[in-house]
Amino acid sequence: GNSVTQMEGPVTLSEEAFLTINCTYTATGYPSLFWYVQYPGEGLQLLLKATKADDKGSNKGFEATYRKETTSFHLEKGSVQVSDSAVYFCALKNQGGKLIFGQGTELSVKP
Amino acid sequence: GAGVSQSPSNKVTEKGKDVELRCDPISGHTALYWYRQSLGQGLEFLIYFQGNSAPDKSGLPSDRFSAERTGGSVSTLTIQRTQQEDSAVYLCASSGWDSNNSPLHFGNGTRLTVT
């Protein structure tokens, strides 16, 4: 079946450090891939998405590239800020199917 | 416009009691999801409604859990004979007709505590 695996957290970084949060998936067909973010005290919201292989999703300085050959969608940011502290969820969705989330990765950025 | 609204925001109940959780999706959204978020467990899929199609109930953990969606809008998640392991935040989300590309909009959740 379909599944998403993320690197375990918490991840603690200093401000302006480089961020990578790994995400790999297992799916039949050609899923769409997403990153959602949950800031403290807020609901989940979409951060970025990619709907086909080699697409790059980007938003707020974050990027992720849909790699079919490695079944990955790693999240990256070149210089994190304290305000990026949140829980990040990788997710996939197959045609007509439900959205499946990974277990989430907590990021804590220290000034 | 208004986002996804869930009520109540907090619910404390005694073990063995039934609870109903309500979700008001964004108007016009055809897809509606329920998820459960437990500490350290990520987001667990429960049930998915899409338009008039039969719902995908494959994530419901036991027959104590059920959900319905009336008139293609409001949804109610019911948990019968609650157990302590049911304690979690229950999240509702909705999306537009092109559910493969339109993002899910989440409510703020109902925090259920079973004592």
Side-chain angles (χ1 to χ4, degrees):
Chain A
N2 298 332
S3 67
V4 177
T5 302
Q6 294 180 230
M7 65 186 288
E8 290 193 17
V11 174
T12 303
L13 295 174
S14 297
E15 207 164 21
E16 299 184 3
F18 184 85
L19 168 71
T20 299
I21 299 179
N22 289 341
C23 171
T24 57
Y25 67 90
T26 302
T28 55
Y30 304 94
S32 295
L33 301 174
F34 306 83
W35 277 99
Y36 278 78
V37 59
Q38 187 174 32
Y39 296 105
E42 298 184 16
L44 275 95
Q45 56 188 277
L46 179 68
L47 179 60
L48 53 84
K49 69 176 183 182
T51 57
K52 61 182 188 295
D54 299 325
D55 268 3
K56 178 186 284 187
S58 61
N59 186 25
K60 299 183 180 180
F62 291 88
E63 293 183 339
T65 301
Y66 189 143
R67 301 283 187 203
K68 189 167 172 58
E69 63 276 15
T70 53
T71 61
S72 65
F73 193 54
H74 303 323
L75 182 68
E76 296 182 336
K77 186 173 185 181
S79 177
V80 293
Q81 305 299 312
V82 172
S83 57
D84 293 327
S85 298
V87 181
Y88 292 83
F89 293 89
C90 186
L92 72 81
K93 192 176 194 308
N94 259 324
Q95 189 78 16
K98 55 186 178 279
L99 190 66
I100 302 293
F101 286 88
Q103 70 270 36
T105 302
E106 181 181 359
L107 170 66
S108 177
V109 181
K110 305 297 185 186
Chain B
V4 176
S5 177
Q6 292 187 244
S7 60
S9 55
N10 279 285
K11 177 70 177 178
V12 180
T13 191
E14 291 180 354
K15 178 182 172 181
K17 296 286 178 77
D18 298 352
V19 294
E20 283 190 352
L21 311 180
R22 177 186 168 104
C23 173
D24 284 88
I26 291 174
S27 178
H29 277 187
T30 58
L32 188 147
Y33 294 77
W34 284 98
Y35 291 89
R36 179 166 70 177
Q37 186 174 23
S38 304
L39 192 63
Q41 297 297 317
L43 282 161
E44 177 187 4
F45 166 78
L46 298 178
I47 189 168
Y48 165 48
F49 297 89
Q50 175 59 285
N52 295 321
S53 303
D56 180 342
K57 303 180 181 181
S58 60
L60 294 178
S62 76
D63 59 8
R64 295 187 296 104
F65 287 72
S66 63
E68 60 179 29
R69 188 178 184 191
T70 53
S73 182
V74 172
S75 178
T76 302
L77 177 69
T78 301
I79 309 173
Q80 296 178 308
R81 306 181 301 282
T82 52
Q83 304 295 312
Q84 288 185 330
E85 61 264 27
D86 299 335
S87 297
V89 176
Y90 290 81
L91 292 170
C92 177
S94 68
S95 71
W97 68 271
D98 182 9
S99 60
N100 289 316
N101 289 308
S102 63
L104 262 62
H105 296 261
F106 281 84
N108 288 329
T110 293
R111 181 175 299 278
L112 175 66
T113 304
V114 182
T115 61

